[in-house]
Amino acid sequence: MKKSILFTTLFVFALSVANAQETVYIVKDKKSRTKNINTDRIVEHMNVIKFDPLQTVVGEVKFSYERVLSEKTSLEVSLGPTLDGISSFRAFDNYSYALEGKLGMVAELGYRFYPLDDNPALNRLYISPVVGWKIYNSTFNPDDTYYPNVESQNSTRQRGYFTFNVGIQSWLAKSFSIDYYAGFGLAMINENNYFVNQIYNPETGGYDQQIINNKFNANVFQFKLGIKVGIGWTE
């Protein structure tokens, strides 16, 4: 009788330990899963405000607003200031003249289509035709030491373009997105620049200085890459 009671007690204890170990294992597994970021999250937001930090390298401080139009489509508007030469120091001819960057503007309009099944607008893969226009302004400043008789002039660089973008918009959190994209298309460039021309004058033995206006127009291919970080919300 005592042996039966002892055997039963040991069996119940062993079973309890086994269940306890299994429970501890499951809790540990849940904790490890919470550390992973879910990039496959699907949201049903209607609006996203974004910022593209990579475009500051080319002198653009661009913000975007995307609004859902239907289950699979949306419209994105981008706007912001530009600053010519923000990523580099512009100086030429042994610092005898330089271009000083001034504020301009960039504007874009894009229509987005999200083709994947079971993925509503604002989620995952999208294709987007985009039209845009940007202008860079600067001032041509000749150094008075080298060119005392040459005045400053305002320069402009304008670009109108069309690109076909492909990207992926993932949601790292319920209201925080990251948007990777690449685009390829055509651009029309219109530049209005200045430079100083020096002509030797045999009568004075020196050089006469003259400022030259150089205008340039061209059609070129355009390729762009970007990463936008965004905050989304529902109406």
Side-chain angles (χ1 to χ4, degrees):
M1 183 66 179
K2 292 182 179 179
K3 291 183 179 181
S4 299
I5 295 174
L6 179 60
F7 177 77
T8 303
T9 303
L10 291 176
F11 178 77
V12 172
F13 177 75
L15 184 62
S16 300
V17 171
N19 288 335
Q21 289 177 347
E22 183 180 0
T23 302
V24 171
Y25 175 77
I26 293 174
V27 171
K28 183 178 179 180
D29 185 61
K30 287 182 178 179
K31 289 182 178 179
S32 64
R33 287 201 302 266
T34 57
K35 295 180 181 179
N36 297 327
I37 297 176
N38 182 14
T39 57
D40 295 327
R41 180 182 285 104
I42 302 299
V43 300
E44 296 182 355
H45 296 316
M46 296 294 292
N47 312 273
V48 190
I49 290 181
K50 311 174 192 177
F51 174 66
D52 194 339
L54 288 185
Q55 297 306 309
T56 57
V57 176
V58 295
E60 298 179 14
V61 183
K62 186 168 60 179
F63 295 89
S64 303
Y65 171 68
E66 184 178 1
R67 169 73 179 181
V68 172
L69 298 179
S70 67
E71 183 181 358
K72 290 289 187 179
T73 63
S74 67
L75 189 69
E76 185 178 70
V77 179
S78 301
L79 190 67
T82 62
L83 183 60
D84 197 15
I86 193 173
S87 60
S88 62
F89 179 74
R90 291 171 171 262
F92 308 91
D93 194 18
N94 296 324
Y95 309 106
S96 58
Y97 58 89
L99 289 176
E100 176 186 352
K102 289 187 173 183
L103 289 178
M105 188 179 71
V106 57
E108 288 183 351
L109 180 65
Y111 178 82
R112 290 190 173 193
F113 173 67
Y114 293 81
L116 296 182
D117 294 336
D118 301 324
N119 285 271
L122 305 185
N123 292 276
R124 308 307 299 277
L125 178 70
Y126 65 86
I127 54 178
S128 175
V130 176
V131 292
W133 175 79
K134 65 179 71 174
I135 180 170
Y136 292 93
N137 296 316
S138 60
T139 300
F140 178 79
N141 289 318
D143 193 323
D144 292 339
T145 304
Y146 297 92
Y147 308 112
N149 299 321
V150 179
E151 297 182 354
S152 299
Q153 301 289 336
N154 292 323
S155 299
T156 59
R157 293 190 298 125
Q158 299 184 53
R159 179 181 291 246
Y161 52 92
F162 169 82
T163 59
F164 189 82
N165 294 357
V166 177
I168 294 177
Q169 184 162 236
S170 299
W171 293 86
L172 305 185
K174 184 177 180 180
S175 299
F176 180 76
S177 70
I178 185 165
D179 185 345
Y180 311 88
Y181 68 92
F184 182 78
L186 294 173
M188 297 176 291
I189 299 175
N190 185 345
E191 297 187 1
N192 183 29
N193 300 317
Y194 293 88
F195 67 92
V196 175
N197 186 32
Q198 298 186 90
I199 302 175
Y200 178 72
N201 190 336
E203 296 181 358
T204 61
Y207 288 87
D208 294 334
Q209 302 161 359
Q210 182 182 15
I211 191 166
I212 303 297
N213 181 209
N214 181 35
K215 295 184 178 181
F216 175 76
N217 296 282
N219 297 321
V220 299
F221 290 108
Q222 172 154 318
F223 179 75
K224 64 189 305 184
L225 292 171
I227 299 177
K228 299 179 182 180
V229 292
I231 297 176
W233 72 95
T234 306
E235 287 183 341

